[in-house]
């Protein structure tokens, strides 16, 4: 169904694709929540009716068993209702940094101005959160009949990656949810989903535990009979307890609730898109819809492969750059071109299956609906003002966001400049991976060994003395290596030794400047630069060093070549280590 342009007549809660009004949505959510308890009551009534039928018949053992079974079912149902009484989704929302009008007056004024254009009350709190997300909440009371405090959550990746006009489209969409009172019934829906999810999850967990206990009891009984020389008992089918069948009932009801509530949510998204069109126009709103998924993927790539690059080495980017470095990724021409290409095509083709449990319509459908709107006559501005222009002291804000959202473990890690992060992380990782070999050297010689050129020189001296097998035998072994013996055991040990020797050699090459590890925003996060002859000759030199007998001269020559001077022959002083 094509969307019509949103004018003054389309600004009410029913704008766009027949979005239901706030009272109807609240009534639906409340009715489904009451249905949860009515379902439990219906099950109790059915059990009581069965007991009455049994009482009218002849009193037999079957009657007693039926009463006992009904009591078990009734207890399970009552427990289900009690289990379902858990607090719903938290009112506080995702962790982030709350901004006051005094700290960020330009951003607050801009949001208030947009709220005035939409015709709704502005939020009482603006919170910057990690990621490429935007959402709104409202602490409404009395099942949404009484409005409450409003909160706007804005992802830092959107501020860093969206042009100002597209950010206005995102803000207009979120403010549209306020204008249509979509947030009024949010807590009722959250309570419904929370109780159903907790109930179904607990019932399934209890049913699985009962089934596991039954299997364990059968296995123990079979083991006892075998120990007594008797045949094991006949395996019978699994017995299903009340929890299993109650889980089926409440799962079916949960699916019904999700289908109904999510169908309403999808219509709300179309209606909110029309509000965004009133703020930014259909072309800009469609561009924002295309760009946000691409920013989500880029933000995930950045956090996992750049911001956490030195995590295992105890390192993080400079203060304010854990999130702020995302702007450096977007500033790279190659990466920006890929991001643009990712945002260009429609993410889905029409006619594909749509999940009835999705809270948002397919992005492709939303874009097509926007593109079907008539031209609003507005000429897109040629100046692409970045969204960060709305922020005062963005570097300080990004640093404060880290303090508000990162764990204590993350905040305790050492901060290093971006240019140093790759090689420092690689040096620490090489040193950690070479620790077993250094420990074996210390155990064999009685002298402590630290990673670096000196340790590598001493290790090669030990290999020249024919102590390779003694060193390899002291390295940790895999389960397969531990079960082997003779020639196979020596082969496993030498393979593990060669791997550790390679890490020590790479650490020495990095220390002397023969190898370099540099940050790359355009491709793989770390780019290793080394002379071609080094990367080509290193495998053969390592093979010669772990051969029988060991020949260390090729590896010494390789690491001394190219002006890297170090004590690999035991005579030269130690080189300067980069700080």
């Amino acid at each position: 169904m094509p969307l019509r342009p949103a004018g003054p007549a389309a600004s009410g809660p029913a704008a766009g694709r027949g979005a239901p009004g706030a009272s109807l949505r609240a009534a639906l959510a409340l009715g489904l929540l009451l249905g949860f308890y009515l379902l439990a009551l219906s099950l109790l009534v059915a059990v009581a009716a069965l007991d009455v039928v049994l009482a009218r018949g002849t009193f037999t053992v079957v009657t007693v068993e039926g009463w006992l079974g009904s009591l078990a079912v009734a207890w399970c149902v009552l427990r289900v209702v009690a289990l379902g009484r858990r607090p719903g989704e938290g009112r506080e929302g995702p962790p982030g940094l709350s901004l006051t009008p005094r700290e960020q007056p330009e951003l607050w004024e801009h949001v208030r101005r947009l709220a005035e254009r939409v015709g709704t009350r502005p939020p009482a709190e603006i919170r910057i959160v990690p990621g490429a997300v935007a959402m709104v909440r409202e602490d409404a009371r009395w099942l949404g009949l009484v409005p409450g405090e409003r909160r706007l959550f804005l992802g830092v990746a959107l501020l860093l990656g969206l042009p100002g006009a597209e950010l206005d489209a995102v803000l207009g969409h979120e403010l549209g949810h306020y204008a249509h009172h979509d947030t009024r019934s949010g807590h009722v829906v959250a309570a419904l989903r929370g109780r159903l999810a907790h109930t179904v999850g607990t019932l399934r967990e209890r049913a699985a535990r009962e089934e596991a206990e039954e299997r364990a009891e059968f296995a123990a009984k079979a083991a006892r009979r075998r120990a007594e020389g008797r045949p094991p008992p006949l395996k019978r089918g699994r017995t299903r307890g009340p929890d299993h069948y109650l889980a089926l009932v409440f799962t079916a009801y949960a699916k019904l609730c999700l289908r109904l509530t999510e169908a309403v949510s999808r219509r709300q998204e179309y209606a909110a898109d029309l509000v965004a069109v009133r703020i930014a126009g259909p072309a800009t709103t469609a561009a924002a819809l295309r760009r946000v998924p691409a920013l989500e993927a880029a933000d995930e790539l950045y956090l996992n492969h750049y911001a956490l690059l030195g995590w295992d080495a105890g390192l993080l980017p400079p203060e304010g750059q854990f999130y702020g470095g995302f702007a450096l990724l977007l500033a790279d021409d190659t990466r920006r071109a890929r991001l643009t290409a990712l945002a260009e095509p429609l993410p889905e083709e029409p006619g594909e299956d749509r999940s009835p449990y999705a809270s948002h319509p397919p992005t492709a459908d939303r874009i097509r609906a926007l593109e079907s709107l008539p031209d609003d006559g507005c000429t897109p501005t040629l100046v692409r003002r970045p969204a960060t222009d709305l922020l005062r002291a963005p570097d300080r804000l990004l640093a404060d966001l880290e303090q508000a959202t990162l764990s204590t473990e993350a905040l305790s890690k050492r901060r290093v400049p971006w240019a140093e992060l790759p090689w420092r992380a690689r040096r620490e990782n090489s040193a950690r991976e070479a620790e077993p070999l250094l420990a074996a050297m210390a155990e064999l010689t009685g002298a402590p060994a630290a990673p670096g050129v000196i340790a590598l020189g001493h290790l090669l001296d030990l290999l020249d003395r024919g102590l390779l097998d003694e060193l390899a035998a002291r390295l940790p072994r895999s389960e397969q290596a531990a079960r082997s013996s003779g020639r196979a055991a020596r082969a496993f040990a030498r393979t593990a030794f060669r791997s550790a020797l390679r890490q020590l050699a790479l650490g020495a090459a990095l220390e002397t400047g023969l190898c370099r590890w540099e940050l790359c925003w355009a491709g793989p996060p770390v780019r290793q630069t080394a002379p071609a002859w080094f990367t080509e000759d290193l495998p053969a030199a390592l093979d010669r060093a772990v051969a029988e007998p060991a020949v260390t001269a090729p590896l010494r020559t390789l690491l001394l070549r190219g002006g890297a001077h170090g004590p690999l022959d035991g005579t030269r002083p130690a080189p300067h280590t980069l700080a």
Side-chain angles (χ1 to χ4, degrees):
M1 178 179 177
L3 293 175
R4 292 179 297 176
S11 61
R17 293 213 173 193
S23 57
L24 181 58
R25 294 193 299 268
L28 174 63
L30 180 60
L32 292 174
L33 182 59
L34 293 177
F36 170 79
Y37 296 102
L38 290 176
L39 178 60
L41 180 61
S42 300
L43 292 173
L44 290 176
V45 170
V47 169
L50 179 61
D51 286 343
V52 171
V53 172
L54 290 175
R56 290 178 177 177
T58 305
F59 185 81
T60 62
V61 176
V62 176
T63 304
V64 176
E65 291 179 348
W67 286 344
L68 293 177
S70 65
L71 286 176
V73 173
W75 166 243
C76 290
V77 172
L78 292 174
R79 190 179 65 234
V80 161
V81 177
L83 289 174
R85 298 185 63 183
R86 292 293 185 271
E89 191 176 358
R91 291 174 176 256
E92 288 303 315
L97 179 65
S98 183
L99 306 179
T100 65
R102 183 177 180 181
E103 295 169 339
Q104 298 293 336
E106 292 82 3
L107 177 62
W108 270 95
E109 179 60 27
H110 189 70
V111 172
R112 286 168 176 162
R113 192 161 52 245
L114 291 178
E116 184 178 353
R117 291 180 59 187
V118 171
T120 189
R121 182 164 50 95
E125 180 189 7
I126 298 178
R127 187 181 305 180
I128 304 300
V129 298
V133 297
M135 65 183 73
V136 287
R137 294 196 180 187
E138 183 173 357
D139 296 336
R141 300 179 298 276
W142 292 98
L143 303 176
L145 298 178
V146 180
E149 187 178 74
R150 293 177 169 182
R151 292 186 175 94
L152 169 65
F153 303 91
L154 194 56
V156 65
L158 298 183
L159 289 170
L160 295 174
L162 285 179
E166 293 180 17
L167 179 65
D168 287 351
V170 172
L171 292 173
H173 175 96
E174 299 304 327
L175 293 172
H177 286 303
Y178 282 147
H180 298 163
H181 307 298
D182 298 339
T183 53
R184 292 280 188 91
S185 58
H187 292 302
V188 181
V189 176
L192 170 66
R193 294 174 181 174
R195 294 179 185 184
L196 284 172
H198 183 80
T199 298
V200 172
T202 304
L203 286 171
R204 288 179 175 176
E205 180 182 349
R206 291 180 62 88
R209 185 166 61 247
E210 291 172 359
E211 184 178 333
E213 291 174 355
E214 181 183 354
R215 287 198 304 266
E217 182 181 352
F218 180 84
K221 183 177 180 180
R224 287 195 303 268
R225 291 178 65 93
R226 292 192 188 95
E228 295 170 357
R230 295 186 295 167
L234 295 177
K235 191 172 183 178
R236 57 182 181 180
R238 290 177 295 178
T239 57
R240 305 288 194 180
D243 287 319
H244 170 77
Y245 296 103
L246 287 175
L248 296 179
V249 173
F250 281 94
T251 297
Y253 186 72
K255 289 182 177 180
L256 172 65
C257 292
L258 283 177
R259 292 179 74 101
L260 294 175
T261 57
E262 299 298 24
V264 173
S265 297
R266 291 192 294 273
R267 290 195 291 272
Q268 291 172 352
E269 295 302 318
Y270 283 113
D273 283 344
L274 288 180
V275 178
V277 168
R278 293 166 52 196
I279 296 295
T284 302
T285 303
L289 282 177
R290 294 176 186 271
R291 196 182 305 273
V292 168
L295 285 176
E296 290 177 352
D299 184 60
E300 183 178 359
L301 169 73
Y302 166 75
L303 289 177
N304 291 334
H305 297 282
Y306 288 91
L308 298 177
L309 176 63
W311 180 269
D312 292 337
L315 306 172
L316 280 186
E319 185 181 13
Q321 289 292 294
F322 185 86
Y323 298 116
F326 184 55
L328 301 177
L329 180 76
L330 299 179
D332 181 82
D333 292 338
T334 303
R335 187 70 71 180
R336 187 168 59 251
R338 293 175 183 171
L339 183 64
T340 303
L342 183 63
E344 280 303 319
L346 290 177
E348 296 177 21
E349 291 298 326
E352 289 187 358
D353 291 337
R354 267 61 172 174
S355 172
Y357 306 111
S359 61
H360 286 58
T363 303
D365 288 357
R366 296 170 65 185
I367 293 175
R368 292 187 184 93
L370 292 170
E371 292 177 342
S372 68
L373 295 173
D375 187 5
D376 59 357
C378 296
T379 303
T381 176
L382 298 178
V383 179
R384 296 174 63 84
R385 176 177 56 86
T388 49
D389 283 358
L390 295 172
L391 301 178
R392 180 173 294 187
D395 293 339
R396 185 68 262 164
L397 183 148
L398 292 170
D400 292 342
L401 180 62
E402 293 177 2
Q403 296 293 324
T405 57
L406 295 184
S407 64
T408 304
E409 180 186 5
L411 293 174
S412 66
K413 294 185 181 295
R414 187 158 56 98
R415 303 301 186 106
V416 297
W418 279 113
E420 299 180 13
L421 185 59
W423 67 263
R424 284 187 180 274
R426 187 66 184 89
R427 185 178 66 179
E428 295 293 335
N429 291 338
S430 293
R432 184 173 58 255
E433 294 174 10
E435 281 179 0
L437 182 55
L438 297 175
M441 289 175 58
E443 182 180 349
L444 183 64
T445 63
V453 178
I454 296 178
L456 181 59
H458 292 166
L459 174 62
L460 297 181
D461 292 340
L462 295 176
L463 296 183
D464 289 337
R465 291 163 53 186
L467 298 177
L468 189 151
D469 288 334
E470 285 79 354
L471 286 167
R474 288 172 166 81
L475 295 178
R477 295 182 294 174
S478 64
E479 294 183 4
Q480 185 178 4
R483 292 194 300 267
S484 60
S485 60
R487 182 176 298 178
R490 288 195 299 274
F492 277 119
R494 285 176 180 266
T495 300
F497 182 86
R498 184 188 185 281
S499 177
L501 176 61
R502 181 180 182 275
Q503 295 303 324
L504 197 58
L506 288 176
L510 184 66
E511 181 179 329
T512 59
L514 185 59
C515 261
R516 297 183 62 186
W517 291 75
E518 300 173 343
L519 197 67
C520 177
W521 295 108
V526 177
R527 178 172 52 212
Q528 179 184 359
T529 60
W533 49 263
F534 177 79
T535 56
E536 292 171 359
D537 296 345
L538 181 60
L542 292 172
D543 291 338
R544 295 287 299 279
V546 299
E548 192 174 357
V551 180
T552 63
L555 188 55
R556 293 180 190 270
T557 303
L558 187 65
L559 292 170
L560 284 172
R561 187 177 172 185
H565 300 289
L568 298 180
D569 55 1
T571 59
R572 292 187 175 91
H576 173 68
T577 302
L578 295 176

